[in-house]
Amino acid sequence: MNHQETAQEIIKAVGGTNNINSVYHCITRLRFELKDNDKVDNGTLKKLDKVMGTNISGDQFQVIIGNDVPKVFDAMVKEHPALQQSQEKKEVKSDKNKNVILKIFETIAGVFAPMLPAITAAGMLKGLLALFVSLGWMSAGTDTYRILSAIGDGVFHYLPLLIAVSAARKFGSNPFVAIALGTALMYPDMSTLLSSGESVAFIGIPVTAVSYASSVIPILLAVWLMSYVEKWVDRVIPAALKLLLVPLITLLVMVPVTLIAIGPLGTFVGNGLSGGINWLLNEGGLIAGIVLGGAMALIIMTGMHYALVPIILSNIATLGFDKFLPLTYISNMGQAGATLGVFFRAKDKKLKTVALSTSFTALMGVTEPAMYGVNMKYKKPFAAAMIGSAVGGGFALAFGAKAYVLAGNGGLPGLPSLIGQTFWYSLIGMILAFVVGAIMSTVFGIKEEEGDAEALAQFSPGASAAPAAAPSNESAEVNVDDLGAPTPTSNAVAVAPMTGKAIPLKEVNDPTFGDELMGKGVAFVPSVGELVSPVTGTVMNVFKTKHAIVVRSDNGMELLIHVGINTVKLRGQYFESHVTAGTRVQAGDKLLSFELDQIAKEYDITTAMVVTNTADYQEIKPVNLGEITMGQEVLKAQM
């Protein structure tokens, strides 16, 4: 499935464009604001080959894609251009019942997420410059250093302007008027006036001296209030005068109000929040490190880490360092270590490959593939990651570990942001998190048995039915990769694998099969509890729960036969397998026996037979629908 197809399927699964208020993406996730989360088809989303998982943070529905998320997002807005501006749409869904604190966090996250590329790029450059100077590769007094410093420092010095643009889009006001507000606050003569030490007044009202350079909260509050002022002015001004008077009146009101009230208030609030969190980080020491380090993965999952960006930036701007950032690095190392533990314990070759690769990705600072694709999926590794992070976090804060710039990458590439007096404490904390996470994950182990959706995902359309799901069949010791995977070279025919009634696949009451996500085929309502091979070929996989089997014909057609809907929950009860992976079979040879009456008491017994390499054929169509006897021709595939 290419990116365009994935984008279309995601939009369809979240309820269509009419259900989308806004969508944007971060490094690995599509972040949807939906009108109704109940319209989401979560099962279909998780079956998409490019979707690693889903998550709900407050009212935000997140689809985890991984490194390909920009391509999927671009394909999405190419197909539906209105989604590109959807962040600027007014929220349609009522906020009456939404938790106020949660709403504030989501708003801050929505403002800062689009800015992160610029902030992280500048932070990374500042970290690299610090590294080069400490190694003697560059002198701080050279013109080259000063020019490069301007790239890094400029973003943070004029941070209020970036916030003004992003906040204006979030609150639905004019971004250029918001920039004008920010430039007035940071105008050199204004800065000189406020820093002169003399009393300043506007029409007799005292103005509190506040420095707006690198500030965060004042401009955020100012643009929020400006959005209401602008909309009110827009309603009362005649249409012919709007272009001139709306921005003029808005600025004439907002600049003085910000200088007199909002600026001092924002500074007070910002200092209070920073002071409270910094007190916890400074005074809590070991205990705070254990609690925050262990809980960091949960904080990241809920998106609350974005809400802390203003405090982190304020700390770096005013104190020159921040103690919260090292915990994010440590948490990432815990996830990486836990996934490496899965690599050591897993028996399935594909799972070992996935665990090793996602462990490396987490080391590089992108944890979603490891967290959602492996650790949370198997649960125990996620607990191991939290334990490792708690140990590393406790050590780091016990010794006062600090970050000195916001590099935007919480992995090995972001290490320059930690360079300073406490670098080694941060590094040791990261190593502890990784090692303890790996050890605990190895000790805890995993349960490799997977549910239908996860096991069937290994047999997505066009994929080889090589035994990605072989671990679910503990009795299968044959490496089916050694059996070869012939490319179909001719038309193929399959016979009915059971006696009963043949029906179109679309009538199966399960979207995995009914929507042909697994491929085209045919379904059966059996009248006899016996399943035979529909082709002459090789058994590729028998699921541990014995309810499903994969057979590949000698001419290359790959067939998945799945007995019943959700019968994986029976865990093999009422089923008996007569073959194992690697067994050679003739069409009509018995594969499975099952107690039809017992299964039918609890589950829909409809059986699907799909061609998992559908893409290799021009046409696949069922024949002889209706009452049918095993061995009777039932499906044709044409090249």
Side-chain angles (χ1 to χ4, degrees), residues 478-630:
V478 177
N479 183 354
V480 287
D481 285 334
D482 297 335
L483 301 176
T487 300
T489 57
S490 63
N491 297 340
V493 175
V495 300
M498 53 179 50
T499 295
K501 182 181 180 180
I503 62 175
L505 191 62
K506 291 184 179 180
E507 293 184 13
V508 178
N509 187 27
D510 184 286
T512 302
F513 299 111
D515 293 342
E516 298 183 339
L517 298 177
M518 300 296 303
K520 296 182 180 298
V522 64
F524 307 90
V525 180
S527 57
V528 179
E530 186 174 300
L531 179 73
V532 302
S533 178
V535 294
T536 295
T538 304
V539 175
M540 303 305 298
N541 182 266
V542 181
F543 284 52
K544 179 182 178 181
T545 46
K546 305 174 187 176
H547 70 295
I549 192 167
V550 178
V551 183
R552 185 165 62 207
S553 71
D554 289 339
N555 58 8
M557 182 167 64
E558 300 165 355
L559 292 164
L560 166 66
I561 310 166
H562 189 281
V563 181
I565 306 300
N566 291 325
T567 47
V568 67
K569 296 179 181 179
L570 290 171
R571 297 183 179 276
Q573 186 180 14
Y574 307 131
F575 288 94
E576 181 182 358
S577 173
H578 301 286
V579 294
T580 60
T583 301
R584 285 284 303 166
V585 292
Q586 300 292 318
D589 286 353
K590 187 183 292 188
L591 302 177
L592 300 172
S593 297
F594 51 93
E595 297 180 40
L596 180 60
D597 294 339
Q598 293 295 330
I599 298 172
K601 291 178 182 179
E602 302 179 57
Y603 297 97
D604 182 345
I605 197 61
T606 303
T607 298
M609 182 172 76
V610 299
V611 180
T612 59
N613 59 335
T614 290
D616 291 335
Y617 297 93
Q618 291 292 327
E619 184 181 26
I620 296 174
K621 60 181 181 180
V623 294
N624 296 325
L625 295 177
E627 296 301 323
I628 199 165
T629 302
M630 64 176 64

Side-chain angles (χ1 to χ4, degrees), residues 344-366:
F344 290 135
R345 284 297 299 267
K347 298 177 181 178
D348 175 27
K349 291 182 179 179
K350 181 170 183 178
L351 177 55
K352 290 177 77 70
T353 300
V354 170
L356 185 62
S357 63
T358 55
S359 177
F360 176 77
T361 302
L363 285 172
M364 294 298 105
V366 180

Side-chain angles (χ1 to χ4, degrees), residues 340-348 352 441-446 448:
L340 185 64
V342 174
F343 166 76
F344 290 135
R345 284 297 299 267
K347 298 177 181 178
D348 175 27
K352 290 177 77 70
S441 181
T442 304
V443 171
F444 288 164
I446 60 171
E448 294 189 44

Side-chain angles (χ1 to χ4, degrees), residues 326 396 399-404 418-428:
F399 288 93
K402 303 179 181 69
Y404 299 90
L418 304 175
I419 292 176
Q421 295 179 345
T422 62
F423 173 75
W424 293 109
Y425 298 131
S426 298
L427 186 60
I428 293 173

